[in-house]
Structures are given as C-alpha cells and as structure tokens.
C-alpha cells in the first residue's frame, strides 16, 4: 500500500436512471462496466461508497481518487449518489418519463436502500466481492442492504460516523427534527429565488458559508452549488425528515450477524452520533472492530479530510486485501 498520489487518476462520470430516479455515478479506475459475468477482465473486488445526506457523489470525488491511489490502482472505487440528490444534466429529468413505476417512494429512506440494491443488481456482476464504505446515514442504508440481501459478497463494510440509532435524540437531531419534519417547506422559496443567481455568485455564497475551514476541498464547493436546486433540496430534506422518524433503534441483530465484516468509526465531537453511542455499542459488542477518532475529524469529513480518511481506510484493510 502507498499513500494517495497527487497525480490525476481515471475518473468516469455517468448520470443514469436507477429505480426511475436520476442518479449520479463516479467511477474511479479504467473499469466502466462490471456487469458482464463472462468477462475475464473483471476485478475481484469493488469498493462502493454509500454517501451521507446530502448524498451528492461529487462530495466524494477527492475521497475516491485518494482511495483508488492508496489501493495501488488495483480495484475500482465507485460512489453512487442517492436517488434524486443530484442535479441532472440538461435534457434529463429528475424522474424518468415512463409508465412503469419501479419503486414506490424512491426518495424516502427505504427507497434509497432499494435504490442501492437495484444499482448493484443491474450494474455489478454477482461474482465480484464488495467493500462497502458508508458515511453517516449511508451506514444505516448499508446495514439494511446486508440484512435484505444476504447473498451480496460483502468482504467488509466500513461505517464512518454512523448514524444508525436515535437520530432525533442526538444533539443535532434535537435541533433539526422540528425544522425537517414541520418547517422544511419554508426553505423551498429562498432556495428557489437563489437558484436564479449566476453560478459564480452561488460559488461565492458557498465559500462564504464554509469560510471557517482552514482548507476546504474545491470539489465540495463545486458540488454544493447543486444545492441551489429546489428539486434536489426537496428530496434531500424529505429523506432527512424520514431519518429523524425512522432511525431509532440500533439494529443489533444485523450487526451481530455480520460483526466480523464491520468496522465502525465514531467521532469524538460528533453531534449526530455522540460519543455516548460509541461507548454503548462498544460495551454491547466488545469483540467488534469499533474505533473512536483520535484525529479530530469532523462528521462531514469530505469537506476537508478526504485524503486523510482514505489513507486510514487503506491501512485498516491491508490484511483483508493480502488474503484475496
């Protein structure tokens, strides 16, 4: 293993419909199609990122490039946006124009789980092993995927800053639940008005909002401009409102069944999953690989610590990869 290179790496970008919803996919490496079972050139392993919320693939651009380089460019690293969280390119609608409705409520929390399973079923050969790297609510989605599709060949699941229980009771949840569940529609009008601003002005507003950071990933600024879209914000806030209501009890049964495949990484000052949650899961699963961040990384690590996180993950997975 080597540290992430500064050199540009192959990055392929796609906008597709998955479960009838616009989906943004970033693919790192030369592999663009992993669905052909008969191909002898398929890699043995796919690293797939399940994002947090907002679930825009662009936030993870630097992270997947650093991870790909840290893995010696041996394995594809893909990130799949949440359904409806991306701003589709010109000529593409947010929802596919078809008479067949593939999935009820694809923008809800349950729909996002099925969306990821559907993506894997249609785009990745069942013979390819998976390393699922999940962030925030992506960790809840990943545990649900492992529960619903036990046939998936998951080698490891890395759960970063996992919001897998009592979200509404967390410090940030107490603050955000009333806004998300009762007042989110109030936010649509200002977002609609801001959407008419020139792209340069939007980028300046994002830079101003993130001015407190010493270093901010440029791709995060570019991606955040997509949040000036009413359709995107509506889907993001709708999903978040469901998180507050549905992510209540930790799924200890699924964790127990898959404990040897899981790595948990909790933050020390994370207001979405406080250290108390780490202490309790560590007590319930003393044999689990459950880590507490010692580097002071923020919950939204993609804003300023993508390369550092990628380097840690490649180090954690060295033993697993040497056994392949």
């Amino acid at each position: 293993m080597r540290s992430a290179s500064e050199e540009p790496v192959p990055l392929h970008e796609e906008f597709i419909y998955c479960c009838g919803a616009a989906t943004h996919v970033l693919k790192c490496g030369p592999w663009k199609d992993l669905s052909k079972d008969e191909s002898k050139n398929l890699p043995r392993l796919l690293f797939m990122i399940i994002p947090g919320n907002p679930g825009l693939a662009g936030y993870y651009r630097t992270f997947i490039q650093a991870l790909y380089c840290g893995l010696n460019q041996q394995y594809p690293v893909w990130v799949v946006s949440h359904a409806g969280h991306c701003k589709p390119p010109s000529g593409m609608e947010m929802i596919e124009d078809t008479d067949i409705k593939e999935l009820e409520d694809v923008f809800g929390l349950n729909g996002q789980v099925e969306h990821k399973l559907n993506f894997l079923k249609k785009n990745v050969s069942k013979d390819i092993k998976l390393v699922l790297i999940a962030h925030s609510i992506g960790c809840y989605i990943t545990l649900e995927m492992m529960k619903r599709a036990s046939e998936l060949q998951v080698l490891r699941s890395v759960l970063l800053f996992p919001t897998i229980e009592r979200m509404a009771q967390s410090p940030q949840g107490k603050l955000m639940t009333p806004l998300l569940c009762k007042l989110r529609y109030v936010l649509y009008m200002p977002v609609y008005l801001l959407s008419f601003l020139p792209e340069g002005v939007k980028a300046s507003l994002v830079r101003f909002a993130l001015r407190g950071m010493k270093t901010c990933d440029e791709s995060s600024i570019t991606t955040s401009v997509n949040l000036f879209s009413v359709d995107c914000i509506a889907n993001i806030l709708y999903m978040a409102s469901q998180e507050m209501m549905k992510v209540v009890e930790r799924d200890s049964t699924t964790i127990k069944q898959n404990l040897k495949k899981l790595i948990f990484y909790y933050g020390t000052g994370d207001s979405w999953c406080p250290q108390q949650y780490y202490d309790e899961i560590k007590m319930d699963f003393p044999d689990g690989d459950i880590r507490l961040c010692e580097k002071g990384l923020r919950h939204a690590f993609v804003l300023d610590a993508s390369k550092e996180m990628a380097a840690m993950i490649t180090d954690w997975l060295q033993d697993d990869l040497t056994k392949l």
Side-chain angles (χ1 to χ4, degrees):
M1 297 288 168
R2 59 181 172 82
S3 60
S5 168
E6 295 297 326
E7 299 173 9
V9 297
L11 192 66
H12 179 66
E13 183 173 31
E14 293 178 5
F15 286 90
I16 63 171
Y17 286 114
C18 183
C19 295
T23 305
H24 185 199
V25 186
L26 288 176
K27 300 178 177 181
C28 215
W31 306 273
K32 295 178 182 178
D33 185 358
L34 298 180
S35 60
K36 296 181 176 64
D37 290 354
E38 68 277 4
S39 174
K40 294 180 180 179
N41 297 320
L42 287 180
R44 289 177 294 174
L45 193 62
L46 166 67
F47 284 72
M48 180 168 158
I49 316 301
I50 313 293
N53 188 6
L56 287 83
Y59 281 128
Y60 299 84
R61 183 183 297 264
T62 300
F63 178 62
I64 65 170
Q65 288 177 315
L67 192 59
Y68 177 70
C69 290
L71 296 165
N72 287 330
Q73 305 188 14
Q74 291 184 5
Y75 307 105
V77 184
W78 292 5
V79 55
V80 181
S81 78
H82 291 321
H85 285 210
C86 61
K87 185 179 179 182
S90 178
M92 183 180 187
E93 299 297 325
M94 185 66 85
I95 300 173
E96 190 173 13
D97 185 14
T98 175
D99 294 332
I100 303 170
K101 195 165 186 178
E102 290 193 46
L103 183 67
E104 291 290 336
D105 196 21
V106 67
F107 301 130
L109 190 53
N110 175 67
Q112 298 290 1
V113 177
E114 293 299 325
H115 173 262
K116 306 304 173 295
L117 290 173
N118 185 276
F119 175 85
L120 283 171
K121 184 177 180 180
K122 291 186 175 179
N123 295 280
V124 180
S125 167
K126 61 182 182 298
D127 296 324
I128 295 177
K129 290 185 170 64
L130 300 169
V131 173
L132 302 175
I133 300 178
H135 177 213
S136 192
I137 192 60
C139 302
Y140 172 90
I141 291 171
T142 296
L143 289 176
E144 279 292 311
M145 290 168 66
M146 295 175 76
K147 176 182 178 179
R148 299 182 194 187
S150 56
E151 70 277 7
L152 290 176
Q153 293 197 61
V154 178
L155 179 70
R156 275 282 187 176
S157 286
V158 181
L159 309 181
L160 306 172
F161 305 102
T163 52
I164 56 174
E165 60 177 306
R166 293 174 287 173
M167 283 192 69
Q169 294 177 37
S170 69
Q172 193 71 7
K174 289 176 182 176
L175 184 68
M176 295 298 292
T177 298
L179 176 66
L180 291 169
C181 295
K182 296 177 182 177
L183 300 172
R184 70 176 188 273
Y185 302 103
V186 177
L187 298 174
Y188 295 173
M189 182 53 72
V191 171
Y192 174 72
L193 295 174
L194 290 169
S195 69
F196 291 102
L197 292 173
E199 295 300 295
V201 176
K202 294 175 185 175
S204 296
L205 288 174
V206 172
R207 289 180 196 278
F208 180 76
L210 300 176
R211 66 194 181 282
M213 295 185 189
K214 291 180 181 178
T215 57
C216 187
D217 194 312
E218 192 62 32
S219 63
S220 293
I221 293 171
T222 307
T223 301
S224 294
V225 171
N226 290 324
L227 298 178
F228 293 93
S229 159
V230 175
D231 286 343
C232 291
I233 284 293
N235 293 333
I236 287 165
L237 296 180
Y238 172 63
M239 177 180 168
S241 69
Q242 289 206 341
E243 293 169 31
M244 298 307 112
M245 294 183 287
K246 295 188 175 184
V247 183
V248 182
E249 290 185 24
R250 184 205 319 143
D251 186 356
S252 293
T253 301
T254 299
I255 292 172
K256 184 178 180 180
Q257 289 171 347
N258 296 278
L259 191 61
K260 291 183 179 179
K261 297 180 180 180
L262 302 174
I263 298 175
F264 293 87
Y265 189 73
Y266 282 83
T268 47
D270 191 341
S271 55
W272 278 115
C273 39
Q275 190 170 333
Q276 174 195 346
Y277 293 5
Y278 161 81
D279 293 335
E280 291 172 358
I281 194 172
K282 187 81 172 171
M283 190 178 298
D284 290 346
F285 298 99
D287 297 328
D289 190 343
I290 304 168
R291 305 167 187 233
L292 188 65
C293 177
E294 298 176 350
K295 298 175 179 289
L297 302 187
R298 68 180 78 241
H299 184 90
F301 73 90
V302 291
L303 296 178
D304 60 356
S306 289
K307 293 179 181 179
E308 195 171 358
M309 183 64 81
M312 283 195 293
I313 291 172
T314 54
D315 185 53
W316 298 343
L317 298 178
Q318 278 191 54
D319 288 345
D320 292 313
L321 297 177
T322 53
K323 294 173 184 174
L324 274 178

